[in-house]
Amino acid sequence: LFETEPSFPIDDREVCGCRQKTITAGEGRECEIYPIYGRRDFLSRARKERATPEKQKKQNAKNTRKRIVRLLNANFTKEDIWATFTYDNKHLPKDMKRARKDLQNYLRRVAYWMEKKKLGPLKYLYVTEYINNGKEVRIHHHVVMNFPDRDIAERLWNGGGRTQTRRLQPDESGLEGLGRYVSKSRSVKYEKTWAASRNLKEPKITVSDTAISRRRARDFALNYNDAVAYFERQNKGYKVIEFKPYISDIVSGVYIYVKMRRRD
């Protein structure tokens, strides 16, 4: 099941156990299983190897993407919308600070409209894009929100340029595709290019150091059918849609990622 031959043994006695983190967001559930080491020098070596700026940048991007996807899945459904807002030359902001203020003012107008219509509080998550793959692009915003009227949402934007709103269309992975799309941009100068309303529900996370043993993790990594049967048995009402074992090029032990979806 491994894409490359492991450089370190996947069944190593230096691994004293495995930690399982289970994340439930909306209709989806994920399990992340990773080794626990009995010796401090293993962790010290891993941290040292991961400390390079390039590796840290990739890890930060990966963590941001996970965070955005999970918040979207936990809070938004096909009843909600996502919008893209751009600027014309007259309204184009000179920097990220101004662009963020423009969007915050827009969200205030949206929230006020919902309040007048007695539709409840506004929920949103937005990403402002201005650097893509290291190249500067024209500033624009992606917004996901529980706003009911697409036409009103477009009219409330006063930055000129093009506006486009769409109903959300979750698939087997929920809103992961959308989350990956809106988080594709990476800022060099500004780290915080996204934000969410404070009233969003957090994904439910549980952690166990006893659910999976070192040997069981090894066996799962080598036997796909047994692994899928186990996780579906342990997570009643869910089906496995992705199972991925992988190994580190720094330390021994096996890592496992499982993605599940609630059955209809």
PDB file of all heavy atoms in Angstrom, residues 57-76:
ATOM      1  N   LYS A  57       6.687  25.786   6.034  1.00  0.00           N
ATOM      2  CA  LYS A  57       5.697  26.484   5.222  1.00  0.00           C
ATOM      3  C   LYS A  57       4.664  25.504   4.651  1.00  0.00           C
ATOM      4  O   LYS A  57       3.454  25.774   4.656  1.00  0.00           O
ATOM      5  CB  LYS A  57       6.397  27.227   4.091  1.00  0.00           C
ATOM      6  CG  LYS A  57       5.482  28.141   3.291  1.00  0.00           C
ATOM      7  CD  LYS A  57       6.210  28.778   2.115  1.00  0.00           C
ATOM      8  CE  LYS A  57       7.352  29.668   2.587  1.00  0.00           C
ATOM      9  NZ  LYS A  57       7.990  30.361   1.434  1.00  0.00           N
ATOM     10  N   LYS A  58       5.139  24.356   4.179  1.00  0.00           N
ATOM     11  CA  LYS A  58       4.224  23.348   3.638  1.00  0.00           C
ATOM     12  C   LYS A  58       3.315  22.796   4.726  1.00  0.00           C
ATOM     13  O   LYS A  58       2.124  22.566   4.494  1.00  0.00           O
ATOM     14  CB  LYS A  58       5.027  22.220   2.983  1.00  0.00           C
ATOM     15  CG  LYS A  58       5.694  22.610   1.677  1.00  0.00           C
ATOM     16  CD  LYS A  58       6.417  21.425   1.062  1.00  0.00           C
ATOM     17  CE  LYS A  58       7.058  21.805  -0.270  1.00  0.00           C
ATOM     18  NZ  LYS A  58       7.768  20.659  -0.891  1.00  0.00           N
ATOM     19  N   GLN A  59       3.878  22.584   5.915  1.00  0.00           N
ATOM     20  CA  GLN A  59       3.070  22.060   7.008  1.00  0.00           C
ATOM     21  C   GLN A  59       2.014  23.076   7.442  1.00  0.00           C
ATOM     22  O   GLN A  59       0.867  22.718   7.725  1.00  0.00           O
ATOM     23  CB  GLN A  59       3.964  21.690   8.188  1.00  0.00           C
ATOM     24  CG  GLN A  59       3.235  20.975   9.322  1.00  0.00           C
ATOM     25  CD  GLN A  59       2.613  19.669   8.870  1.00  0.00           C
ATOM     26  OE1 GLN A  59       3.222  18.879   8.163  1.00  0.00           O
ATOM     27  NE2 GLN A  59       1.361  19.434   9.268  1.00  0.00           N
ATOM     28  N   ASN A  60       2.391  24.345   7.489  1.00  0.00           N
ATOM     29  CA  ASN A  60       1.427  25.389   7.848  1.00  0.00           C
ATOM     30  C   ASN A  60       0.284  25.454   6.840  1.00  0.00           C
ATOM     31  O   ASN A  60      -0.887  25.622   7.207  1.00  0.00           O
ATOM     32  CB  ASN A  60       2.126  26.746   7.934  1.00  0.00           C
ATOM     33  CG  ASN A  60       3.059  26.843   9.128  1.00  0.00           C
ATOM     34  OD1 ASN A  60       2.980  26.050  10.059  1.00  0.00           O
ATOM     35  ND2 ASN A  60       3.950  27.813   9.095  1.00  0.00           N
ATOM     36  N   ALA A  61       0.633  25.345   5.548  1.00  0.00           N
ATOM     37  CA  ALA A  61      -0.398  25.374   4.503  1.00  0.00           C
ATOM     38  C   ALA A  61      -1.334  24.175   4.638  1.00  0.00           C
ATOM     39  O   ALA A  61      -2.557  24.300   4.490  1.00  0.00           O
ATOM     40  CB  ALA A  61       0.259  25.386   3.129  1.00  0.00           C
ATOM     41  N   LYS A  62      -0.765  23.025   4.940  1.00  0.00           N
ATOM     42  CA  LYS A  62      -1.576  21.818   5.105  1.00  0.00           C
ATOM     43  C   LYS A  62      -2.515  21.951   6.295  1.00  0.00           C
ATOM     44  O   LYS A  62      -3.699  21.592   6.216  1.00  0.00           O
ATOM     45  CB  LYS A  62      -0.656  20.608   5.296  1.00  0.00           C
ATOM     46  CG  LYS A  62      -1.375  19.278   5.396  1.00  0.00           C
ATOM     47  CD  LYS A  62      -0.377  18.143   5.527  1.00  0.00           C
ATOM     48  CE  LYS A  62      -1.089  16.798   5.627  1.00  0.00           C
ATOM     49  NZ  LYS A  62      -0.099  15.683   5.774  1.00  0.00           N
ATOM     50  N   ASN A  63      -2.016  22.489   7.401  1.00  0.00           N
ATOM     51  CA  ASN A  63      -2.849  22.660   8.593  1.00  0.00           C
ATOM     52  C   ASN A  63      -3.969  23.673   8.355  1.00  0.00           C
ATOM     53  O   ASN A  63      -5.098  23.488   8.823  1.00  0.00           O
ATOM     54  CB  ASN A  63      -1.984  23.102   9.771  1.00  0.00           C
ATOM     55  CG  ASN A  63      -1.032  22.011  10.240  1.00  0.00           C
ATOM     56  OD1 ASN A  63      -1.253  20.830   9.969  1.00  0.00           O
ATOM     57  ND2 ASN A  63       0.022  22.403  10.932  1.00  0.00           N
ATOM     58  N   THR A  64      -3.648  24.753   7.618  1.00  0.00           N
ATOM     59  CA  THR A  64      -4.670  25.748   7.294  1.00  0.00           C
ATOM     60  C   THR A  64      -5.769  25.133   6.441  1.00  0.00           C
ATOM     61  O   THR A  64      -6.968  25.362   6.672  1.00  0.00           O
ATOM     62  CB  THR A  64      -4.047  26.939   6.547  1.00  0.00           C
ATOM     63  OG1 THR A  64      -3.114  27.594   7.412  1.00  0.00           O
ATOM     64  CG2 THR A  64      -5.113  27.937   6.117  1.00  0.00           C
ATOM     65  N   ARG A  65      -5.384  24.354   5.466  1.00  0.00           N
ATOM     66  CA  ARG A  65      -6.369  23.723   4.582  1.00  0.00           C
ATOM     67  C   ARG A  65      -7.277  22.784   5.385  1.00  0.00           C
ATOM     68  O   ARG A  65      -8.506  22.783   5.205  1.00  0.00           O
ATOM     69  CB  ARG A  65      -5.657  22.961   3.470  1.00  0.00           C
ATOM     70  CG  ARG A  65      -6.601  22.403   2.409  1.00  0.00           C
ATOM     71  CD  ARG A  65      -5.830  21.729   1.290  1.00  0.00           C
ATOM     72  NE  ARG A  65      -4.939  22.667   0.636  1.00  0.00           N
ATOM     73  CZ  ARG A  65      -3.604  22.578   0.669  1.00  0.00           C
ATOM     74  NH1 ARG A  65      -3.024  21.599   1.337  1.00  0.00           N
ATOM     75  NH2 ARG A  65      -2.862  23.468   0.040  1.00  0.00           N
ATOM     76  N   LYS A  66      -6.711  21.987   6.255  1.00  0.00           N
ATOM     77  CA  LYS A  66      -7.516  21.094   7.088  1.00  0.00           C
ATOM     78  C   LYS A  66      -8.513  21.888   7.932  1.00  0.00           C
ATOM     79  O   LYS A  66      -9.680  21.522   8.054  1.00  0.00           O
ATOM     80  CB  LYS A  66      -6.607  20.287   8.022  1.00  0.00           C
ATOM     81  CG  LYS A  66      -5.882  19.128   7.387  1.00  0.00           C
ATOM     82  CD  LYS A  66      -5.096  18.404   8.462  1.00  0.00           C
ATOM     83  CE  LYS A  66      -4.348  17.213   7.905  1.00  0.00           C
ATOM     84  NZ  LYS A  66      -3.595  16.503   8.975  1.00  0.00           N
ATOM     85  N   ARG A  67      -8.025  22.949   8.526  1.00  0.00           N
ATOM     86  CA  ARG A  67      -8.866  23.769   9.398  1.00  0.00           C
ATOM     87  C   ARG A  67     -10.045  24.349   8.628  1.00  0.00           C
ATOM     88  O   ARG A  67     -11.196  24.311   9.090  1.00  0.00           O
ATOM     89  CB  ARG A  67      -8.012  24.893   9.996  1.00  0.00           C
ATOM     90  CG  ARG A  67      -8.763  25.915  10.817  1.00  0.00           C
ATOM     91  CD  ARG A  67      -9.092  25.393  12.165  1.00  0.00           C
ATOM     92  NE  ARG A  67      -9.661  26.437  13.011  1.00  0.00           N
ATOM     93  CZ  ARG A  67     -10.588  26.227  13.920  1.00  0.00           C
ATOM     94  NH1 ARG A  67     -11.056  25.014  14.130  1.00  0.00           N
ATOM     95  NH2 ARG A  67     -11.050  27.216  14.656  1.00  0.00           N
ATOM     96  N   ILE A  68      -9.788  24.883   7.444  1.00  0.00           N
ATOM     97  CA  ILE A  68     -10.848  25.483   6.636  1.00  0.00           C
ATOM     98  C   ILE A  68     -11.866  24.430   6.202  1.00  0.00           C
ATOM     99  O   ILE A  68     -13.083  24.623   6.312  1.00  0.00           O
ATOM    100  CB  ILE A  68     -10.244  26.206   5.423  1.00  0.00           C
ATOM    101  CG1 ILE A  68      -9.524  27.486   5.882  1.00  0.00           C
ATOM    102  CG2 ILE A  68     -11.326  26.546   4.392  1.00  0.00           C
ATOM    103  CD1 ILE A  68      -8.796  28.215   4.782  1.00  0.00           C
ATOM    104  N   VAL A  69     -11.388  23.293   5.708  1.00  0.00           N
ATOM    105  CA  VAL A  69     -12.287  22.234   5.245  1.00  0.00           C
ATOM    106  C   VAL A  69     -13.185  21.750   6.380  1.00  0.00           C
ATOM    107  O   VAL A  69     -14.402  21.577   6.211  1.00  0.00           O
ATOM    108  CB  VAL A  69     -11.475  21.059   4.659  1.00  0.00           C
ATOM    109  CG1 VAL A  69     -12.367  19.838   4.445  1.00  0.00           C
ATOM    110  CG2 VAL A  69     -10.828  21.466   3.334  1.00  0.00           C
ATOM    111  N   ARG A  70     -12.617  21.554   7.545  1.00  0.00           N
ATOM    112  CA  ARG A  70     -13.399  21.033   8.663  1.00  0.00           C
ATOM    113  C   ARG A  70     -14.432  22.039   9.161  1.00  0.00           C
ATOM    114  O   ARG A  70     -15.551  21.659   9.522  1.00  0.00           O
ATOM    115  CB  ARG A  70     -12.451  20.610   9.794  1.00  0.00           C
ATOM    116  CG  ARG A  70     -11.678  19.348   9.440  1.00  0.00           C
ATOM    117  CD  ARG A  70     -10.513  19.092  10.372  1.00  0.00           C
ATOM    118  NE  ARG A  70      -9.790  17.888   9.982  1.00  0.00           N
ATOM    119  CZ  ARG A  70      -8.619  17.512  10.499  1.00  0.00           C
ATOM    120  NH1 ARG A  70      -8.040  18.276  11.427  1.00  0.00           N
ATOM    121  NH2 ARG A  70      -8.038  16.401  10.101  1.00  0.00           N
ATOM    122  N   LEU A  71     -14.083  23.322   9.181  1.00  0.00           N
ATOM    123  CA  LEU A  71     -15.052  24.334   9.567  1.00  0.00           C
ATOM    124  C   LEU A  71     -16.204  24.407   8.559  1.00  0.00           C
ATOM    125  O   LEU A  71     -17.370  24.558   8.942  1.00  0.00           O
ATOM    126  CB  LEU A  71     -14.375  25.693   9.700  1.00  0.00           C
ATOM    127  CG  LEU A  71     -13.598  25.951  10.986  1.00  0.00           C
ATOM    128  CD1 LEU A  71     -12.864  27.286  10.909  1.00  0.00           C
ATOM    129  CD2 LEU A  71     -14.511  25.918  12.207  1.00  0.00           C
ATOM    130  N   LEU A  72     -15.874  24.313   7.277  1.00  0.00           N
ATOM    131  CA  LEU A  72     -16.925  24.330   6.261  1.00  0.00           C
ATOM    132  C   LEU A  72     -17.860  23.139   6.431  1.00  0.00           C
ATOM    133  O   LEU A  72     -19.094  23.284   6.412  1.00  0.00           O
ATOM    134  CB  LEU A  72     -16.303  24.309   4.861  1.00  0.00           C
ATOM    135  CG  LEU A  72     -15.567  25.567   4.405  1.00  0.00           C
ATOM    136  CD1 LEU A  72     -14.946  25.351   3.030  1.00  0.00           C
ATOM    137  CD2 LEU A  72     -16.490  26.779   4.375  1.00  0.00           C
ATOM    138  N   ASN A  73     -17.305  21.957   6.608  1.00  0.00           N
ATOM    139  CA  ASN A  73     -18.138  20.763   6.743  1.00  0.00           C
ATOM    140  C   ASN A  73     -18.980  20.790   8.011  1.00  0.00           C
ATOM    141  O   ASN A  73     -20.091  20.246   8.047  1.00  0.00           O
ATOM    142  CB  ASN A  73     -17.265  19.510   6.734  1.00  0.00           C
ATOM    143  CG  ASN A  73     -16.843  19.115   5.330  1.00  0.00           C
ATOM    144  OD1 ASN A  73     -17.531  19.419   4.355  1.00  0.00           O
ATOM    145  ND2 ASN A  73     -15.716  18.445   5.205  1.00  0.00           N
ATOM    146  N   ALA A  74     -18.474  21.407   9.064  1.00  0.00           N
ATOM    147  CA  ALA A  74     -19.192  21.427  10.339  1.00  0.00           C
ATOM    148  C   ALA A  74     -20.321  22.449  10.370  1.00  0.00           C
ATOM    149  O   ALA A  74     -21.215  22.347  11.211  1.00  0.00           O
ATOM    150  CB  ALA A  74     -18.215  21.704  11.477  1.00  0.00           C
ATOM    151  N   ASN A  75     -20.305  23.429   9.442  1.00  0.00           N
ATOM    152  CA  ASN A  75     -21.213  24.571   9.592  1.00  0.00           C
ATOM    153  C   ASN A  75     -22.095  24.881   8.391  1.00  0.00           C
ATOM    154  O   ASN A  75     -23.097  25.586   8.552  1.00  0.00           O
ATOM    155  CB  ASN A  75     -20.400  25.819   9.927  1.00  0.00           C
ATOM    156  CG  ASN A  75     -19.810  25.774  11.308  1.00  0.00           C
ATOM    157  OD1 ASN A  75     -20.474  26.070  12.295  1.00  0.00           O
ATOM    158  ND2 ASN A  75     -18.537  25.372  11.402  1.00  0.00           N
ATOM    159  N   PHE A  76     -21.748  24.403   7.200  1.00  0.00           N
ATOM    160  CA  PHE A  76     -22.495  24.836   6.017  1.00  0.00           C
ATOM    161  C   PHE A  76     -23.046  23.641   5.248  1.00  0.00           C
ATOM    162  O   PHE A  76     -22.449  22.555   5.233  1.00  0.00           O
ATOM    163  CB  PHE A  76     -21.596  25.689   5.120  1.00  0.00           C
ATOM    164  CG  PHE A  76     -21.106  26.947   5.788  1.00  0.00           C
ATOM    165  CD1 PHE A  76     -19.837  27.001   6.347  1.00  0.00           C
ATOM    166  CD2 PHE A  76     -21.922  28.062   5.898  1.00  0.00           C
ATOM    167  CE1 PHE A  76     -19.375  28.146   6.980  1.00  0.00           C
ATOM    168  CE2 PHE A  76     -21.477  29.215   6.536  1.00  0.00           C
ATOM    169  CZ  PHE A  76     -20.201  29.258   7.075  1.00  0.00           C
TER     170      PHE A  76
END
